Amino acid sequence: MCGIVGYLGKRQAAPVLIDGLYQLEYRGYDSVGIAVSDGKKLKIIKKIGRVKEIETARDEIGRVGIGHTRWATHGDVTVENAHPHTCRNITLVHNGIVENAAKLKSECEKRGERFASDTDSEVIAHLIAAEYQGDLLDAVIRACNQIVGSYAIAVLCEDEPARLVCARMRSPLIVGRAKDGLVVASDIPAVAEEGAVLYSLKDGEFAVLEGEKIVICNASRAEVRKEPMEFDLEEGRVDLGPYRHFMRKEIDQIPIVLRQSREEIERNFCFSDFCKVLCQTEYIQIVACGTAYHSGLCFQAALERVCRIPAEVFIASEYRYMDPIVRRGTLLIAISQSGETADTLAAVRLAKRKGAHVAAIVNVKYSSLARLADTVLFTQAGREVAVAATKSFNAQLMVVYSIVAAMASIRGKKSPSLRGIEGKALRAIAAGEGVRSWVPYFAGAKSSYFIGRGEDMCAALEGSLKLKEISYLPSEGYAAGELKHGTLALIEPYTPVVAVLMRRDIAEKTMNAVHEAYSRGASVFLVTCFEEYCGRKEITASVLLPKCPPVFSPILSVIPLQLLAYYTSVARGNNPDKPRNLAKSVTVE
Ligand code: F6R
């Protein structure tokens, strides 16, 4: 999961590459590098760390170049493993995974070739160099034929210094014409500017950038004509404004995002298509990863409770290894912010092969998932920069709950309403600021627990994931009733426990679990819409939320939990926008 960028044109390449790489840091930020050619010599600058580490390379001279920001998969975080990688006259950057790298590498080694890194990417450079007979495109096509796995590559050849060749297989790649030059990148924001014309490559396509011309072709070198992508320059342009971190800004955007998602649903005829497909379906499977998986759990809970429609939710990375049963009439719904999550895409491809209809709920318009799915609904979360998903989760819930409400009315069932949810989200953010007083209990804790029942458990799981990923504190999300079956043994004096309590019918049951934790010395914090529970002796502190239909309540109850994670992360001196070891777009399995 890395970001790649390339430029060839009239400007100096280095600043274009560095500015582009900043926009791709969400894809990984372990190490960074660029290669710049002045037509005679190619210079490579690589560093461990974030893009700012190569700021001094802005002055490098050369109008052709490629760049890379890395999230380590094969090989440690070292300068040697950072991209670009070189073999003889070939230099490249790669995003993806070469699954047969070990085999290909040993074949190269048998020919006497030496490797400078532990990466699978360097193998591609060796393959291309071995295939090179005077035409870079030919060599790239022949090398790609040998690769099993995923790749988006941008390749330079010292013998053809005015050419940049790219290829795509299961990793996103766009090419285009920007101001005074040609560009290639993993994502639009890296190269978007006024007047740019961008094209998205499909799997198995290649592009040659040369002079002022871009030629896109397939593996037989047959030219492929494409429509330019539509993109919103404003959306791509993100700034912090008065905020310290994007995560905090993105939490504040939740009410707007909910409104935009609702408006999109109201005007988009795809929404009624989606509901029609759902109506004709006998068997629903939902696949997603991480936070999006928690949206899937919320979706399942609401579909079953409101519409009495059964659904099964799968962690996408498990789906294909469970030999899933895809019956006639199966609808597979994939949920994803990025639309590039490799595990989710693999599950979708498998379900399609087995004959399922695939519907996607996705945030990124030109993503691989949006392209693969038979029916697509877009969430309107805008660009999410912080690695930890916040507003995209709430937007996903807005979409899935709207589907549930529509399905209920189609089936003649009564559904609770989402009316006024944007205003309530605004109030939830204001009330959620109260978690700042909880932070001292969490920031120094050895571990923490998030509990709830039913929908409250879904919110608890998400709250726990958020806390662990950005504060690095061990945390578990748990069904409140399950605590006494093992996890209670971990509760010690002052262990922080967060209980979510938005369903009156099971409130006392959740309070039983709260009492069990409290009587073992836990400090219990409550997120609820019922004032009467806030004053209970077991409760150290609480956040009181606006009332909301319980079945849709995670859309609100998660907000104080997102804020708790954010403030705890900051208190521990972390950068909540860029948690260690993680990346925004997980394009590897
Ligand atoms: C957690 C988080 C991840 C993503 C997961 C799926 O805050 O962001 O768990 O939810 O990697 O990503 P998408 O939604 O892009 O498929």
Side-chain angles (χ1 to χ4, degrees):
M1 248 141 45
C2 309
I4 70 171
V5 65
Y7 176 81
L8 179 154
K10 295 186 179 138
R11 280 182 275 173
Q12 291 300 328
V16 182
L17 299 175
I18 293 171
D19 290 342
L21 287 174
Y22 276 116
Q23 297 297 325
L24 295 175
E25 268 197 320
Y26 74 91
R27 303 178 66 84
Y29 36 76
D30 291 342
S31 50
V32 61
I34 58 171
V36 176
S37 165
D38 63 4
K40 294 190 194 89
K41 254 187 41 232
L42 185 110
K43 184 157 178 200
I44 296 177
I45 300 105
K46 308 204 260 193
K47 291 273 166 65
I48 289 175
R50 302 197 173 152
V51 179
K52 63 176 169 29
E53 303 301 329
I54 55 162
E55 267 296 337
T56 47
R58 268 187 194 274
D59 300 332
E60 293 300 333
I61 301 294
R63 298 180 197 277
V64 183
I66 51 179
H68 187 272
T69 175
R70 177 169 188 247
W71 185 84
T73 52
H74 281 62
D76 298 345
V77 180
T78 61
V79 173
E80 293 73 32
N81 289 341
H83 297 221
H85 290 290
T86 296
C87 178
R88 298 189 286 279
N89 57 346
I90 301 297
T91 298
L92 61 73
V93 287
H94 167 228
N95 166 217
I97 288 199
V98 181
E99 289 170 12
N100 56 342
K103 179 174 164 276
L104 294 171
K105 188 173 178 179
S106 88
E107 285 166 10
C108 293
E109 282 170 338
K110 273 185 209 142
R111 293 198 297 264
E113 298 192 13
R114 290 267 166 94
F115 282 77
S117 77
D118 302 322
T119 64
D120 54 339
S121 309
E122 193 188 345
V123 174
I124 309 179
H126 281 255
L127 292 181
I128 299 172
E131 294 292 347
Y132 188 74
Q133 290 164 15
D135 183 283
L136 182 59
L137 176 62
D138 268 347
V140 170
I141 292 174
R142 279 199 295 272
C144 287
N145 279 339
Q146 300 167 51
I147 299 170
V148 178
S150 58
Y151 50 83
I153 51 173
V155 191
L156 296 174
C157 174
E158 281 192 90
D159 297 313
E160 303 176 44
R163 245 180 153 197
L164 210 167
V165 174
C166 323
R168 173 199 158 131
M169 180 60 73
R170 297 204 190 107
S171 289
L173 195 64
I174 55 169
V175 295
R177 198 166 281 110
K179 198 177 358 163
D180 302 331
L182 305 177
V183 288
V184 50
S186 299
D187 198 1
I188 297 171
V191 286
E193 60 182 24
E194 206 74 62
V197 183
L198 304 176
Y199 305 91
S200 171
L201 292 197
K202 281 199 186 134
D203 288 347
E205 288 181 344
F206 300 80
V208 181
L209 282 58
E210 193 168 16
E212 293 183 359
K213 233 175 115 195
I214 303 170
V215 177
I216 301 172
C217 65
N218 60 22
S220 317
R221 295 191 74 144
E223 200 169 325
V224 178
R225 298 250 162 238
K226 278 190 183 284
E227 286 300 309
M229 303 164 80
E230 283 168 29
F231 61 91
D232 182 345
L233 215 48
E234 281 313 305
E235 195 180 292
R237 221 177 256 144
V238 281
D239 64 75
L240 273 171
Y243 293 87
R244 236 179 108 193
H245 299 106
F246 281 106
M247 183 177 175
R248 185 64 193 83
K249 180 180 177 184
E250 286 161 4
I251 294 172
D252 269 358
Q253 288 174 330
I254 289 170
I256 302 169
V257 157
L258 294 181
R259 197 191 67 217
Q260 285 167 354
S261 297
R262 177 176 51 76
E263 286 171 355
E264 172 70 9
I265 286 161
E266 283 165 1
R267 66 170 170 253
N268 190 343
F269 64 90
C270 289
F271 182 72
S272 42
D273 274 2
F274 195 100
C275 295
K276 269 186 222 141
V277 170
L278 244 159
C279 270
Q280 291 152 8
T281 295
E282 285 156 31
Y283 185 49
I284 299 172
Q285 295 180 332
I286 301 168
V287 293
C289 299
T291 291
Y293 170 72
H294 296 151
S295 296
L297 292 177
C298 294
F299 191 14
Q300 176 200 35
L303 256 183
E304 298 197 346
R305 227 145 69 74
V306 177
C307 309
R308 308 310 294 162
I309 299 175
E312 219 178 333
V313 195
F314 294 84
I315 293 173
S317 56
E318 288 291 305
Y319 184 78
R320 64 175 154 158
Y321 302 113
M322 291 167 76
D323 196 10
I325 299 168
V326 178
R327 302 188 198 120
R328 254 173 76 91
T330 295
L331 169 66
L332 181 107
I333 303 175
I335 307 177
S336 173
Q337 187 284 127
S338 63
E340 299 296 347
T341 302
D343 292 322
T344 307
L345 294 175
V348 163
R349 288 190 187 104
L350 175 65
K352 278 193 94 158
R353 277 203 302 279
K354 288 182 170 237
H357 181 99
V358 172
I361 297 171
V362 57
N363 195 41
V364 177
K365 215 166 160 195
Y366 287 98
S367 56
S368 305
L369 180 58
R371 267 204 294 248
L372 264 178
D374 303 302
T375 311
V376 184
L377 275 184
F378 290 105
T379 49
Q380 298 295 319
R383 185 161 173 222
E384 194 172 57
V385 177
V387 165
T390 54
K391 61 175 178 169
S392 65
F393 178 69
N394 301 72
Q396 285 162 356
L397 293 191
M398 187 68 182
V399 170
V400 302
Y401 291 156
S402 302
I403 294 170
V404 169
M407 288 297 295
S409 98
I410 293 172
R411 294 201 150 203
K413 295 197 185 296
K414 204 166 153 346
S415 166
S417 164
L418 282 161
R419 197 167 310 124
I421 202 73
E422 294 114 89
K424 289 179 184 180
L426 202 59
R427 281 156 56 205
I429 295 169
E433 280 290 310
V435 299
R436 296 178 84 145
S437 69
W438 305 6
V439 170
Y441 294 85
F442 286 80
K446 247 179 22 205
S447 60
S448 65
Y449 301 89
F450 289 69
I451 57 170
R453 288 176 191 266
E455 296 77 3
D456 292 340
M457 183 195 71
C458 303
L461 292 178
E462 175 58 9
S464 169
L465 174 64
K466 223 63 334 165
L467 186 76
K468 73 182 113 183
E469 70 174 316
I470 59 169
S471 73
Y472 317 147
L473 285 169
S475 170
E476 275 190 70
Y478 237 77
E482 226 4 54
L483 212 55
K484 58 186 176 292
H485 296 291
T487 306
L488 203 55
L490 298 173
I491 304 286
E492 292 174 1
Y494 307 110
T495 301
V497 173
V498 179
V500 183
L501 203 163
M502 301 291 280
R503 266 180 72 175
R504 190 178 286 287
D505 60 328
I506 47 174
E508 283 304 331
K509 301 271 182 209
T510 299
M511 286 308 287
N512 287 345
V514 164
H515 191 82
E516 286 158 11
Y518 168 77
S519 47
R520 271 82 185 175
S523 304
V524 185
F525 300 86
L526 190 66
V527 171
T528 185
C529 56
F530 306 117
E531 203 170 353
E532 60 271 33
Y533 292 103
C534 300
R536 288 270 189 103
K537 70 166 192 310
E538 296 94 334
I539 305 303
T540 302
S542 55
V543 164
L544 185 63
L545 294 175
K547 292 236 165 27
C548 163
V551 72
F552 297 154
S553 63
I555 205 167
L556 295 187
S557 58
V558 76
I559 292 173
L561 308 183
Q562 294 166 337
L563 286 165
L564 175 63
Y566 171 76
Y567 286 119
T568 307
S569 168
V570 172
R572 286 170 61 85
N574 302 342
N575 178 352
D577 285 345
K578 294 200 169 103
R580 67 183 181 205
N581 307 340
L582 299 179
K584 184 82 186 147
S585 191
V586 188
T587 56
V588 295
E589 215 196 315

